[in-house]
Amino acid sequence: MILSLALVIVAGCQAISGIDFNAVLKNTLKVTSSEGKQSVELKLLLNEEAFEGMSEEEASLLKLFSNFKLQLDSVKVQDASHASYAGKLVLGGNINIGFSIKQSDTTAVIEVEGAKLPIVLDVSGSGLGSMLGTAELDADAAAGPDEEALTAIGKEVMDSATDFFINNLPNPDKLSVNTVQEPINGVNTSLFHVKAELSGTEIWAWVKKYVDVLANDHDGMEKFVKQIVTIVSSHPELWEETGVNPFEQTGLDMPTTEDQIKEATDELMAAIVSLQDELKALEEESAEDLKQIFNDDSSIKAELYVDSKLDIRKQAVDVTFKPSEQALFPLEGLVLHMESEMWNVNGNVKADAPVIPDAAITSDQLDSLQGYQVLRMFDTKSAAYALLQQLHIGKQTVELSVDYGRYPAIVTPKYVTIVPLRTVAEELGATVKYDKKTKSVTVYDEATNTTIVLKDGSDKVKVNGKAATWSFVAKSVDGALYVAGRDFANALGAKVHWDDSYGSDTFVIDREVS
């Protein structure tokens, strides 16, 4: 939908060669089901100077993510709640990770190539709210109008109340329309081929022209407000939650509907005029800065293929952004390419239904995993595993300031740094248990399959059953058991160092687990 909106805005909305672009835009917003394929590719234009002083690993990562492509080979949208997607993620032009997503109104199942288990998400109202941390908001929203009612109202608004913003869209100078035969899903189809292009300089002129046209169309704005008021006032269920319907209030001091329409129209027109003034001021005060951004090296080029029903069936957009100076250093600019093809528009589409297997991982479980546990979900020979390793997802870091925090690192008079055992262990994903009978503490680290047993007041420990003596006794401080930091880290396969880059001496424990 966003791609289609961008295309129609670029093409403008004045009818040309039999195409009513106003209707095209409205049809785009009314698509409820379809089949198709889509892709989005982003290329970052890197300045070679950016690599100076970089490590080989940093340069490799920068190059990897400078070429990103999301390719959806199969898109089936059944309705607002049921859809399925299959495609691949391509990074750096050579890393390919296939995936599929199958979604219903309650569940989504995600399968990633190389993953040992699929991921199951609860996408029902309460489940999604819990996942996003908005469960209470979702509960409050449930008391208001239901989703279908709001969708219906939205369609009414789109059908009758958007002409003010759509009809006033200006056409670019470089616009052509031809009739062609173009294959859609392998079937030759008669289509209108629309080509439009705007340079960066022309984009700025287009924006100013659009705002100027809106600012001079008071009658159009008033008609728009009247249509919105008519639609909203015909749905009293919108106001049931508040208990007050502003369109049913009567009394000597209450504004009439006509007064409300006039006030809203004046306020909206004032906002557009204010935007108009801001654009003029920006042009006067920051002319050189604007030229750097809106220049002839930047552009939007768009092609779309429209059928006789005025549905967009195929489209491609190329956006190039190259500022005149190095405002984006280490980037010289970026190129975005988007394309899509659609068939069976608003037809009877059956999306692939999600099936929850016996063995799967839920979103809650995924959220609680350590990085190394996520890494171990993938086959070691898969592209996804290699990518996660390159991103160092298995790296773990515990930082303990000597000045801040409830349980800081403590440097003893013998210059041995001691650390809170439970804090460090749990941040690394290990478990800590206390045995009342033996008064011993057991730490089990799944990542390295290491078991450490020790007691308060003793420097004697057992690491995987082997006796050892640490450089400081285990000691309770403010209710927390502290142990020798370097010895504890070594037992867990970690390294330690000091960092004062944040203005405070910080004891850092880090390791990377695969």
Side-chain angles (χ1 to χ4, degrees):
M1 184 185 72
I2 294 174
L3 181 58
S4 302
L5 283 172
L7 281 168
V8 177
I9 289 172
V10 168
C13 279
Q14 309 306 312
I16 294 180
S17 299
I19 296 186
D20 181 353
F21 287 107
N22 186 328
V24 172
L25 178 55
K26 287 188 174 182
N27 281 359
T28 300
L29 298 174
K30 293 178 186 175
V31 173
T32 57
S33 64
S34 67
E35 294 180 71
K37 55 185 179 180
Q38 303 174 12
S39 69
V40 178
E41 184 172 9
L42 175 64
K43 292 184 178 181
L44 304 180
L45 308 177
L46 300 174
N47 188 314
E48 288 302 317
E49 295 179 11
F51 298 103
E52 295 180 5
M54 276 190 184
S55 68
E56 184 178 339
E57 183 179 43
E58 289 173 333
S60 176
L61 282 173
L62 184 57
K63 291 178 181 179
L64 179 66
F65 286 97
S66 67
N67 191 345
F68 168 97
K69 184 177 182 180
L70 179 64
Q71 180 176 315
L72 297 176
D73 299 314
S74 173
V75 177
K76 298 178 184 178
V77 179
Q78 182 174 328
D79 53 39
S81 302
H82 299 76
S84 59
Y85 310 88
K88 60 183 178 181
L89 175 67
V90 183
L91 292 173
N94 56 6
I95 294 181
N96 294 266
I97 302 174
F99 68 90
S100 70
I101 304 173
K102 299 172 184 177
Q103 178 189 334
S104 69
D105 55 343
T106 60
T107 305
V109 175
I110 303 173
E111 294 183 89
V112 180
E113 187 176 30
K116 298 174 183 177
L117 297 174
I119 301 170
V120 177
L121 306 179
D122 178 1
V123 295
S124 61
S126 58
L128 187 60
S130 176
M131 191 165 58
L132 299 177
T134 59
E136 292 184 7
L137 296 176
D138 290 343
D140 292 339
D146 62 38
E147 185 177 344
E148 290 187 6
L150 291 176
T151 300
I153 294 170
K155 288 181 179 179
E156 287 186 55
V157 171
M158 201 60 62
D159 284 340
S160 60
T162 55
D163 289 346
F164 171 71
F165 292 101
I166 294 177
N167 288 339
N168 282 321
L169 283 168
N171 288 75
D173 295 331
K174 300 173 185 175
L175 176 66
S176 64
V177 179
N178 298 297
T179 55
V180 297
Q181 291 284 321
E182 184 73 14
I184 303 294
N185 193 29
V187 178
N188 273 345
T189 307
S190 296
L191 300 164
F192 293 103
H193 179 206
V194 181
K195 293 181 68 175
E197 182 178 349
L198 285 170
S199 69
T201 305
E202 292 167 336
I203 292 171
W204 177 253
W206 185 94
V207 171
K208 290 195 304 174
K209 183 177 180 181
Y210 183 41
V211 175
D212 288 344
V213 172
L214 293 179
N216 290 316
D217 190 6
H218 187 279
D219 291 342
M221 175 63 83
E222 185 175 34
K223 180 180 178 182
F224 167 73
V225 174
K226 282 182 179 178
Q227 289 173 320
I228 292 293
V229 169
T230 299
I231 293 170
V232 173
S233 61
S234 65
H235 290 275
E237 67 273 16
L238 285 174
W239 312 101
E240 290 179 359
E241 184 68 15
T242 63
V244 178
N245 187 332
F247 303 106
E248 294 181 351
Q249 301 300 301
T250 58
L252 294 175
D253 297 329
M254 298 300 297
T256 63
T257 300
E258 289 72 20
D259 291 335
Q260 293 175 327
I261 291 172
K262 182 180 183 305
E263 182 180 356
T265 300
D266 291 343
E267 288 179 356
L268 290 172
M269 289 304 297
I272 293 175
V273 171
S274 176
L275 176 59
Q276 187 182 37
D277 293 339
E278 288 177 11
L279 293 179
K280 290 178 181 177
L282 186 61
E283 197 167 39
E284 293 173 0
E285 299 169 5
S286 306
E288 291 304 315
D289 292 337
L290 287 174
K291 288 179 182 178
Q292 291 179 22
I293 298 174
F294 296 97
N295 56 46
D296 290 335
D297 290 328
S298 300
S299 65
I300 298 179
K301 298 178 182 180
E303 292 186 66
L304 66 154
Y305 297 81
V306 182
D307 65 15
S308 58
K309 296 180 181 179
L310 300 184
D311 287 324
I312 297 177
R313 303 292 301 280
K314 190 174 184 178
Q315 50 197 316
V317 175
D318 285 288
V319 179
T320 301
F321 177 52
K322 295 183 70 175
S324 300
E325 296 185 3
Q326 294 186 8
L328 296 177
F329 188 83
L331 304 181
E332 292 185 348
L334 57 87
V335 176
L336 179 65
H337 176 74
M338 301 175 287
E339 61 181 52
S340 70
E341 186 175 316
M342 289 185 10
W343 55 91
N344 200 11
V345 180
N346 289 329
N348 184 17
V349 178
K350 189 69 174 178
D352 298 330
V355 177
I356 302 177
D358 294 334
I361 185 165
T362 67
S363 57
D364 289 340
Q365 292 171 326
L366 187 65
D367 187 51
S368 65
L369 293 181
Q370 293 282 334
Y372 74 85
Q373 292 174 314
V374 174
L375 185 61
R376 291 175 181 178
M377 287 174 55
F378 292 87
D379 188 312
T380 57
K381 296 181 180 179
S382 68
Y385 183 90
L387 175 62
L388 292 174
Q389 268 206 318
Q390 192 171 355
L391 294 174
H392 298 287
I393 191 174
K395 186 172 183 178
Q396 298 174 302
T397 301
V398 182
E399 297 179 344
L400 298 166
S401 169
V402 297
D403 298 319
Y404 305 104
R406 183 179 179 187
Y407 297 118
I410 299 173
V411 180
T412 69
K414 293 183 179 181
Y415 297 103
V416 175
T417 303
I418 59 176
V419 298
L421 178 143
R422 184 177 292 275
T423 298
V424 174
E426 291 183 347
E427 285 198 35
L428 295 177
T431 59
V432 180
K433 294 183 178 180
Y434 176 69
D435 189 325
K436 292 182 179 180
K437 292 183 179 179
T438 62
K439 296 184 178 179
S440 61
V441 175
T442 300
V443 177
Y444 175 67
D445 180 41
E446 177 194 358
T448 58
N449 193 27
T450 298
T451 301
I452 302 171
V453 181
L454 50 84
K455 290 185 178 182
D456 187 1
S458 174
D459 59 0
K460 307 301 181 184
V461 301
K462 284 188 177 181
V463 180
N464 289 334
K466 294 182 179 180
T469 301
W470 283 0
S471 56
F472 202 82
V473 298
K475 183 177 181 63
S476 292
V477 180
D478 294 333
L481 184 63
Y482 272 69
V483 295
R486 186 178 297 274
D487 293 326
F488 189 38
N490 288 341
L492 297 177
K495 296 180 180 180
V496 301
H497 67 273
W498 285 95
D499 186 353
D500 61 358
S501 59
Y502 296 103
S504 172
D505 287 335
T506 302
F507 188 71
V508 181
I509 301 173
D510 57 30
R511 68 179 184 179
E512 186 159 358
V513 186
S514 59

